[in-house]
Amino acid sequence: MGKQVEGNGARRRKRRSFTPEFKAEVVELCRKGDRSISEIARDLDLTESSVRRWVEQAEIDAGRRPGLTSSEQEELARLRRENRVLREERDILKRAATFFAMETR
């Protein structure tokens, strides 16, 4: 199995990242239907839930299933980050305006 990390009494797998090419290959293995998703996940030392999520996302990206495509998810994450920064900047400007308004009195 993969490396395990201790955390709050539970053993958890260290977070790994995989290339889009690797994920596509795993999805293709699952689509062939020779073996089950759980067998493929076990053979490649992956979690079954990750493989299932990759297969589901590939179906969404291909238009065979409803949901946000990968590019839409990336755009949404980018917009949320941008929105957070804009809110922080607005709050800073509000505090500065309040401070300077009190100073001029």
Side-chain angles (χ1 to χ4, degrees):
M1 276 294 219
K3 293 183 179 180
Q4 302 286 321
V5 183
E6 294 288 332
N8 295 336
R11 291 177 56 100
R12 294 180 50 193
R13 182 186 294 250
K14 184 179 177 189
R15 186 164 186 87
R16 301 179 291 173
S17 61
F18 302 96
T19 64
E21 294 79 16
F22 177 77
K23 291 178 183 181
E25 288 178 25
V26 172
V27 168
E28 190 56 38
L29 283 174
C30 295
R31 285 187 178 150
K32 285 182 182 175
D34 299 340
R35 297 180 291 163
S36 69
I37 290 177
S38 41
E39 289 174 326
I40 293 169
R42 194 176 326 108
D43 292 347
L44 297 174
D45 192 29
L46 301 167
T47 62
E48 186 177 339
S49 60
S50 291
V51 175
R52 287 188 188 285
R53 202 168 37 251
W54 296 347
V55 169
E56 182 178 324
Q57 188 61 50
E59 290 176 357
I60 291 170
D61 290 345
R64 291 191 292 263
R65 187 179 198 145
L68 292 178
T69 64
S70 296
S71 61
E72 291 170 332
Q73 287 178 356
E74 289 170 9
E75 181 182 15
L76 182 59
R78 181 186 60 76
L79 291 171
R80 285 180 174 163
R81 278 191 304 274
E82 184 179 328
N83 208 359
R84 186 185 71 242
V85 168
L86 291 171
R87 279 194 197 106
E88 290 170 357
E89 290 172 350
R90 179 203 60 201
D91 292 343
I92 290 169
L93 290 172
K94 277 184 182 178
R95 287 193 298 270
T98 302
F99 174 79
F100 288 118
M102 294 178 79
E103 288 291 314
T104 58
R105 286 185 182 182

